C-alpha cells in the first residue's frame, strides 16, 4: 500500500517538467555572482514581492535567521507570536546564533493585535534588552495555516513602526495566503523590511528559500550567509526549480486548499474527531483525535496515512500538497475511518 503523506508540504518530489528545467539550467559560480539562473530568481522574487533585492538560501530557517542576524545585535530582543516557527522549530537558533532574546507574545491562531505588540516594547533603560524587531508569520503554521488579514497586518506593523522596530515576515507559505485571499503576496511583503519565502513547501521545489528586502539589508544578509556556510556555487540547478515553481505552481495552490477543506469536512464526521472546518483557510489543518497524538500517528501510519503531531496532547497536523490528489483525499478518509473505527 502506497502511503498518503500529509506530514508536510515539504515532502513533494520535483515533477518531470521541473526536472527538465533543472537539467537545462544555465549555471556559474554564485559566490562570484556568476550564476545567471540564481541572479534571475533573485530579481524575479524581489519584483514579485515589491521589494528591492533578494538572496537565494538553502532553507526557510536560514532565511529567517539571516533576517534576525541582520536586524539585531547581541542583547537585543525580537517580538514574535508564541507559536511561531522561529521559536519552536529552528533549533534555538535565535539565542544560539545571534545572542538575541525572543519574547513570545500571546496570539489567536498565530495572529497578534497592535495593543499586544505596543505593550511588549520595552522602554529605554539600562536594565532592559533593546526591543529591536517584530517577526510575523503568514500563513501561520502552528496556528493552522492562518492567513493574516491585510488590514490587521498593517495595524500591527504600524504599532511596531511607532515603537521604532524593524519588521520581518516569515512568509514560508506567503503564496498560500495570496491564493486563499486574492491579495497579492507583495501587499504584505511591502510593509516589511525583510520577508522570507520558501520554494520547497507548497510550491514543490526540492530545495530553496529567499530572503527579500531592502538592498542594504540583503547585502548584509549575503555576508552572514557566507559566514553560516550557506553560500552555494552552481546553485542555478536549484534556482531553476524555484523559477519553475513560481511560474507554474502558484495558482494550483487553490487545489491544495480545496483538498484540505474536503479532508477537514470528512474528518469532522468521524466519531470523537474535532476539526474547526471554518478555520481551514489554506493547506494546513489541525485535528484533535481521541487518543494521545503519538498513538494516533502510529495507528494511522499502520493504515497508510502519514501525519505529524501538532503541539497539543491530542492534536495532529495534516498538510495537503502537490503530491496529494482529490482522489487521494477520499482514499485517505477511507483509511482513517477504518483506523479509528
Ligand atoms: N516548517 C516545517 C517544520 O519545520 C515544522 C514544516 O513541515 O512545516 N517558516 C515556517 C512557517 C515553516 O513552516 C518552516 C518549515 C520554515 C520556516 C523553515 O523552513 P525550512 O524547513 O526550509 O528550514
Amino acid at each position: 500500500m502506497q502511503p498518503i503523506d500529509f506530514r508536510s508540504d515539504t515532502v513533494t518530489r520535483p515533477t518531470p517538467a521541473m526536472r527538465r528545467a533543472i537539467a537545462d539550467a544555465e549555471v556559474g559560480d554564485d559566490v562570484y555572482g556568476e550564476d545567471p539562473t540564481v541572479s534571475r530568481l533573485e530579481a524575479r522574487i524581489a519584483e514579485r514581492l515589491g521589494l528591492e533585492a533578494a538572496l537565494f538560501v538553502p532553507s526557510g530557517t536560514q532565511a529567517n535567521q539571516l533576517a534576525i542576524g541582520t536586524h539585531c545585535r547581541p542583547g537585543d530582543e525580537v517580538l514574535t507570536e508564541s507559536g511561531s516557527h522561529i521559536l519552536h522549530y529552528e533549533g534555538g537558533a535565535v539565542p544560539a546564533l545571534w545572542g538575541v532574546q525572543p519574547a513570545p507574545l500571546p496570539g489567536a491562531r498565530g495572529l497578534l493585535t497592535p495593543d499586544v505588540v505596543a505593550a511588549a516594547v520595552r522602554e529605554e533603560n539600562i536594565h532592559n534588552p533593546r526591543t529591536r524587531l517584530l517577526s510575523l508569520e503568514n500563513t501561520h503554521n502552528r496556528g493552522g495555516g492562518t492567513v493574516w488579514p491585510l488590514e490587521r497586518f498593517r495595524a500591527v506593523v504600524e504599532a511596531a513602526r511607532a515603537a521604532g522596530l524593524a519588521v520581518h515576515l516569515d512568509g514560508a507559505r506567503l503564496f498560500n495566503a495570496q491564493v486563499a485571499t486574492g491579495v497579492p503576496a507583495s501587499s504584505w511583503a511591502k510593509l516589511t523590511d525583510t520577508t522570507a519565502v520558501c520554494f520547497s513547501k507548497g510550491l514543490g521545489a526540492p530545495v530553496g528559500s529567499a530572503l527579500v528586502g531592502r538592498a542594504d539589508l540583503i547585502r548584509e544578509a549575503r555576508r552572514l550567509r557566507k559566514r553560516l556556510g550557506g553560500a552555494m556555487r552552481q546553485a542555478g540547478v536549484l534556482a531553476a526549480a524555484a523559477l519553475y515553481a513560481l511560474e507554474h505552481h502558484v495558482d494550483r495552490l487553490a487545489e491544495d486548499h480545496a483538498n484540505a477543506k474536503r479532508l477537514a469536512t470528512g474528518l469532522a464526521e468521524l466519531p470523537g474527531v474535532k476539526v474547526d472546518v471554518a478555520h481551514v483557510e489554506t493547506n494546513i489543518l489541525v485535528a484533535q483525535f481521541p487518543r494521545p497524538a503519538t498513538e494516533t500517528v502510529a495507528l494511522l501510519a499502520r493504515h497508510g496515512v502519514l501525519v505529524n503531531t501538532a503541539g497539543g496532547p491530542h492534536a495532529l497536523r495534516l498538510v495537503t500538497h502537490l503530491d496529494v490528489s482529490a482522489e487521494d483525499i477520499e482514499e485517505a478518509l477511507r483509511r482513517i475511518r477504518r483506523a479509528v473505527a
Side-chain angles (χ1 to χ4, degrees):
M1 181 171 43
Q2 184 70 24
I4 301 171
D5 196 344
F6 296 112
R7 286 173 303 165
S8 182
D9 47 10
T10 60
V11 301
T12 57
R13 296 190 176 90
T15 61
M18 185 181 276
R19 285 173 188 270
R20 280 196 293 279
I22 292 170
D24 293 344
E26 212 187 322
V27 297
D29 189 330
D30 185 50
V31 176
Y32 293 99
E34 290 173 3
D35 189 303
T37 312
V38 171
S39 302
R40 203 161 68 245
L41 173 65
E42 290 176 342
R44 181 86 43 94
I45 189 68
E47 192 193 339
R48 278 287 275 271
L49 296 191
L51 293 165
E52 283 175 4
L55 182 67
F56 186 49
V57 297
S59 67
T61 299
Q62 188 170 108
N64 285 333
Q65 292 306 319
L66 290 176
I68 291 163
T70 298
H71 291 297
C72 300
R73 294 291 162 265
D76 285 351
E77 186 173 52
V78 51
L79 305 182
T80 187
E81 196 275 333
S82 63
S84 68
H85 195 276
I86 64 165
L87 274 183
H88 288 272
Y89 305 118
E90 299 190 7
V94 178
L97 295 179
W98 315 112
V100 169
Q101 170 168 303
L105 306 187
R109 299 173 43 250
L111 307 188
L112 300 169
T113 62
D115 290 350
V116 163
V117 170
V121 178
R122 298 179 197 257
E123 63 180 40
E124 181 64 40
N125 178 311
I126 57 164
H127 296 85
N128 296 345
R130 281 209 178 94
T131 313
R132 179 76 70 185
L133 175 67
L134 173 67
S135 181
L136 302 169
E137 192 174 312
N138 190 23
T139 65
H140 198 286
N141 180 348
R142 242 168 114 104
T146 326
V147 178
W148 269 90
L150 183 61
E151 286 319 308
R152 182 162 174 180
F153 189 84
R154 193 192 308 277
V156 164
V157 168
E158 275 168 13
R161 298 284 183 216
L165 307 190
V167 178
H168 170 66
L169 171 61
D170 175 353
R173 298 185 178 84
L174 189 57
F175 287 105
N176 292 84
Q178 167 177 309
V179 168
T181 56
V183 173
S186 59
S187 301
W188 289 280
K190 277 196 291 201
L191 300 173
T192 70
D193 298 291
T194 49
T195 291
V197 287
C198 291
F199 307 111
S200 60
K201 310 256 163 2
L203 298 187
V207 180
S209 296
L211 183 67
V212 193
R214 265 197 356 249
D216 59 321
L217 297 170
I218 297 305
R219 249 193 319 277
E220 178 62 14
R222 197 175 284 276
R223 291 179 68 86
L224 295 182
R225 182 186 68 170
K226 188 77 185 118
R227 184 181 292 171
L228 294 185
M232 300 176 285
R233 302 294 178 170
Q234 286 73 32
V237 289
L238 303 176
L243 278 165
Y244 183 90
L246 269 181
E247 212 151 293
H248 299 279
H249 291 171
V250 173
D251 293 340
R252 65 147 306 285
L253 292 172
E255 291 170 37
D256 299 345
H257 299 173
N259 284 341
K261 208 49 157 187
R262 167 67 195 125
L263 184 58
T265 309
L267 289 177
E269 287 164 3
L270 299 181
V273 177
K274 292 199 191 72
V275 195
D276 190 346
V277 180
H279 277 150
V280 178
E281 299 175 54
T282 56
N283 68 328
I284 298 179
L285 73 87
V286 176
Q288 310 288 330
F289 277 67
R291 293 172 218 239
T294 47
E295 257 180 52
T296 312
V297 169
L299 173 72
L300 296 186
R302 286 198 296 279
H303 284 78
V305 178
L306 305 181
V307 304
N308 264 326
T309 57
H314 296 271
L316 299 184
R317 183 185 79 155
L318 291 86
V319 186
T320 56
H321 52 77
L322 189 59
D323 289 356
V324 177
S325 65
E327 296 76 57
D328 291 334
I329 299 291
E330 300 308 325
E331 172 61 16
L333 282 168
R334 281 192 290 275
R335 292 181 189 181
I336 297 171
R337 217 172 281 134
R338 267 201 302 277
V340 302

